Amino acid sequence: MSDVVWLCNMHRNPMAERGYRPVGFPDVTRPPRDHSVGLAFNSVIERQTHHLPIEDHEFPKQLYAVKRWADHKRPKRHIMSAGGALVVSSTSAKVLRDHDMGASRLVPVDLLHPDQKTKLDDDWFYLFLGSGKPCFKAEKSEGISPLGNPAQLFMIRGSDHVSHGDLVFSDDVLAGPDIWFDPAITDAPIISDRLAQALKAEKAAKHWDLLKCSVIQQ
């Protein structure tokens, strides 16, 4: 059994942030704050961030690229934030399905051009993280920013200098599914070494911006 796990650090990469909105939400510079479609999408993103339940039907079935940002023309990524929602390509989805996802799941979504009709190439899926492993050892880790006082949440900020091995988890993290979240770390899927190696074999791991984490015995 491997003594490492990997944290998906893609949120630190500006290339991973893509400007998408749910169909029905207007493509204007300052969309109305009380728009029902926008409010529903914001609720999904908020619950995704805090790992709260989301039903499949609550995810918008279609997201379109905001025209002025032209993010649909940027190079394809195998995992990205589409308007705040975590979305993966068919390649990533296939690898995930071949591993133990636990309570996490994939929900299909159509990514559209700004005309809100033409589909982008490939199939796409929301990635909902449903399994948690509270194994993060903040007192033994380096380079990650605490949120609040006393610190109960942590995140990797763009200004942080985090290297392979700086983040530490207890060995309980090695049991259970191959993809999960840690309740103490925001916006960061964590995966097993076997899943990381499978993503590398499919040439998708680069987009996951994987950061190797240490595992120690309790």
Side-chain angles (χ1 to χ4, degrees):
M1 180 180 291
S2 175
D3 60 352
V4 301
V5 295
W6 301 79
L7 181 142
C8 175
N9 204 17
M10 47 84 68
H11 282 287
R12 290 184 69 194
N13 186 342
M15 286 294 291
E17 303 292 330
R18 304 293 170 98
Y20 283 86
R21 291 179 180 167
V23 169
F25 195 49
D27 186 357
V28 294
T29 304
R30 296 181 179 177
R33 294 184 178 181
D34 60 351
H35 195 285
S36 60
V37 174
L39 289 173
F41 189 47
N42 287 339
S43 174
V44 166
I45 294 171
E46 182 73 12
R47 282 178 285 159
Q48 170 189 274
T49 300
H50 293 93
H51 308 295
L52 299 174
I54 307 172
E55 298 294 329
D56 285 6
H57 68 84
E58 295 182 276
F59 288 96
K61 296 185 183 304
Q62 296 179 314
L63 299 176
Y64 71 92
V66 175
K67 185 175 182 179
R68 67 183 180 280
W69 294 327
D71 286 342
H72 58 293
K73 297 181 180 180
R74 296 165 74 183
K76 173 185 171 181
R77 282 187 60 92
H78 290 294
I79 185 170
M80 62 183 177
S81 173
L86 193 60
V87 171
V88 299
S89 69
S90 60
T91 300
S92 288
K94 180 181 181 300
V95 176
L96 288 167
R97 289 194 191 99
D98 288 340
H99 291 76
D100 182 359
M101 293 186 65
S104 299
R105 66 187 193 275
L106 299 164
V107 181
V109 58
D110 290 336
L111 295 187
L112 308 178
H113 286 258
D115 64 7
Q116 303 189 35
K117 297 178 181 178
T118 307
K119 291 184 180 182
L120 265 68
D121 291 340
D122 203 359
D123 295 323
W124 301 90
F125 303 85
Y126 295 109
L127 173 57
F128 175 78
L129 299 174
S131 294
K133 300 182 188 180
C135 300
F136 180 58
K137 294 294 185 181
E139 70 281 3
K140 296 183 179 296
S141 299
E142 299 179 9
I144 192 165
S145 298
L147 302 177
N149 187 15
Q152 294 180 320
L153 290 174
F154 300 83
M155 71 181 299
I156 300 178
R157 301 183 187 275
S159 59
D160 291 335
H161 299 285
V162 185
S163 301
H164 290 304
D166 283 353
L167 304 187
V168 179
F169 294 83
S170 69
D171 55 1
D172 288 342
V173 80
L174 299 175
D178 290 299
I179 184 167
W180 65 94
F181 64 88
D182 191 294
I185 304 177
T186 63
D187 292 336
I190 307 169
I191 65 175
S192 67
D193 188 54
R194 54 185 168 268
L195 177 52
Q197 299 310 318
L199 287 168
K200 290 178 182 180
E202 292 296 328
K203 304 189 185 310
K206 179 180 179 180
H207 293 159
W208 284 65
D209 297 295
L210 294 174
L211 181 70
K212 184 162 63 175
C213 306
S214 300
V215 177
I216 61 172
Q217 291 186 344
Q218 291 275 42

